[in-house]
Amino acid sequence: MKFVSIDFETANEKRHSPCAVGIVVANEKEILEEYYSLINPITAFSPFNVRVHGITDRDVEDAPTFPEIWPVLDKYLSNNIVLAHNASFDMSVIRQTLDYFQLPYPEMDYLCTANISRKVWPDLMNHKLNTVAAHHSITFEHHHALEDARVAAKIFMQALREYGTDTVDSFLESCQMSKGRIYERGYYPPKAKRTQRSKRIYF
């Protein structure tokens, strides 16, 4: 079973301002591939965001823009299981940036490792990425897109081991959780029941 973990950092409070992306391709046993790139967001950087991730406008002067890098990202994401920690943020970055640049959505299912952590390890003091990582003795540089994506992948691998399964569907059935889905010009959030009566949600 193969899945893709993703993490974005943004230049400011706007979700269509990604300035870095990290992608990790893995299966239930090991990391298979990694990808990282800075992104020129073609917009101003917020001092708050710079304090969080340390990326400045000078760092991205020669970096590709999102439309330039999207074909590469699309190959990783389309028709795959994609996960992120606090996936609502990263999925909204994808949706809003694609909308901003008038690019088509990929076809992909997604999972949130923060929600998975709440289900699998409910007794943790919180389920922030660094807290869950510390619980599993994972050290990393927080708010670096590739490092965060790698940790999310490792958290999911650990959750699969906890439940003794190597497939997403059997894991979700055991956890009584569901996948979110991005497709065409809409999406299903993770808790939506995909039935014949389900309606598409558009942005």
Side-chain angles (χ1 to χ4, degrees):
M1 176 203 67
K2 190 174 73 172
F3 61 87
V4 177
S5 178
I6 192 167
D7 183 80
F8 286 101
E9 301 297 333
T10 57
N12 54 51
E13 71 281 2
K14 302 294 185 182
R15 297 293 170 90
H16 59 75
S17 67
C19 61
V21 61
I23 290 178
V24 171
V25 182
N27 58 29
E28 67 277 10
K29 295 180 180 179
E30 62 183 344
I31 291 173
L32 305 172
E33 184 181 351
E34 295 184 340
Y35 173 84
Y36 174 78
S37 181
L38 293 172
I39 303 171
N40 188 334
I42 325 175
T43 190
F45 277 74
S46 160
F48 173 82
N49 291 56
V50 172
R51 284 194 298 272
V52 170
H53 51 58
I55 301 169
T56 68
D57 52 355
R58 289 188 177 183
D59 295 324
V60 301
E61 283 179 346
D62 298 322
T65 63
F66 189 86
E68 290 171 336
I69 205 173
W70 175 244
V72 176
L73 304 186
D74 188 35
K75 287 181 181 179
Y76 282 109
L77 302 179
S78 285
N79 302 309
N80 277 318
I81 296 290
V82 179
L83 59 89
H85 205 79
N86 293 318
S88 59
F89 170 80
D90 297 281
M91 297 306 116
S92 67
V93 170
I94 292 173
R95 293 197 309 268
Q96 292 189 33
T97 308
L98 291 174
D99 287 346
Y100 185 78
F101 290 107
Q102 298 183 328
L103 296 169
Y105 283 19
E107 297 263 346
M108 55 177 263
D109 292 327
Y110 68 90
L111 300 170
C112 176
T113 53
N115 289 341
I116 288 170
S117 298
R118 293 184 186 100
K119 196 77 173 182
V120 181
W121 304 287
D123 296 330
L124 295 182
M125 60 183 294
N126 61 58
H127 295 87
K128 297 178 180 178
L129 187 64
N130 56 337
T131 301
V132 184
H135 178 70
H136 295 292
S137 301
I138 302 170
T139 58
F140 71 114
E141 181 185 343
H142 201 6
H143 297 300
H144 183 287
L146 181 57
E147 299 248 352
D148 288 1
R150 188 185 299 131
V151 173
K154 290 180 178 180
I155 288 170
F156 187 54
M157 292 159 68
Q158 182 62 38
L160 291 172
R161 286 193 288 269
E162 293 268 344
Y163 275 77
T165 182
D166 59 2
T167 71
V168 171
D169 289 338
S170 60
F171 171 77
L172 294 177
E173 184 176 353
S174 299
C175 289
Q176 296 183 328
M177 298 179 69
S178 61
K179 294 176 282 191
R181 182 162 176 75
I182 293 178
Y183 68 106
E184 296 176 359
R185 299 299 298 174
Y187 86 106
Y188 286 111
K191 293 183 180 179
K193 294 181 179 179
R194 284 177 281 164
T195 68
Q196 291 182 346
R197 295 184 179 180
S198 294
K199 294 183 179 179
R200 296 181 180 183
I201 303 175
Y202 292 95
F203 287 84

